[in-house]
Amino acid sequence: MGRAAALCLIALCGTALAADLSLPVTGNLLGIVTDPSGVPQMGASVQLLNKYERIIAKASTTPNGRFAFAALPVDTYAIRVSAGTFLPASRNNIAVRPGIDSILRIHLATLLSSIEVNYTLPSAGMTDDWKWV
């Protein structure tokens, strides 16, 4: 009886470990850059910085103003965005959570630019809109 219980416990632990291995350990950082009237800005420069303020990735926005940094390790990041005649926008302490899309809405302006952050669960992975970014 003691041996059967031990085998059962080992099987349960193995199942729990297997379940833990399937949990996501990365998240996505997605965004759209617009001007004050909501027009998407193509070609804006987007820099992703780690918590030590070192640039770890760069992207340019697509014709519809979108950018994406996929499969980022869970951590906090900063972002800097610049384009043409607009003031640059930046934001620190953007959390990337496991299995979550961190969505940035960046509004560039000549006086006051802003970055809004929302967190959502992805619907069966990244949608086609973000995959080609």
Side-chain angles (χ1 to χ4, degrees):
M1 192 91 149
R3 183 174 181 199
L7 289 175
C8 184
L9 182 61
I10 290 170
L12 286 175
C13 288
T15 304
L17 287 175
D20 286 342
L21 293 177
S22 66
L23 294 176
V25 293
T26 61
N28 302 314
L29 186 61
L30 314 170
I32 185 165
V33 179
T34 61
D35 69 5
S37 60
V39 175
Q41 296 300 298
M42 179 176 88
S45 173
V46 182
Q47 297 177 333
L48 180 67
L49 297 90
N50 64 13
K51 61 185 168 191
Y52 306 109
E53 297 187 18
R54 291 196 177 109
I55 298 172
I56 57 171
K58 294 180 182 180
S60 291
T61 56
T62 63
N64 61 0
R66 294 181 183 214
F67 66 91
F69 298 105
L72 293 171
V74 173
D75 206 345
T76 57
Y77 295 89
I79 195 119
R80 291 186 193 149
V81 182
S82 58
T85 60
F86 300 107
L87 285 177
S90 64
R91 179 149 181 175
N92 296 328
N93 298 319
I94 300 169
V96 171
R97 300 173 183 164
I100 303 287
D101 287 343
S102 302
I103 301 176
L104 307 177
R105 291 185 189 350
I106 301 162
H107 307 284
L108 296 178
T110 55
L111 289 177
L112 182 62
S113 296
S114 66
I115 299 178
E116 175 185 331
V117 182
N118 293 305
Y119 300 98
T120 63
L121 288 172
S123 59
M126 294 176 70
T127 64
D128 289 337
D129 289 342
W130 296 103
K131 284 182 183 177
W132 68 273
V133 172

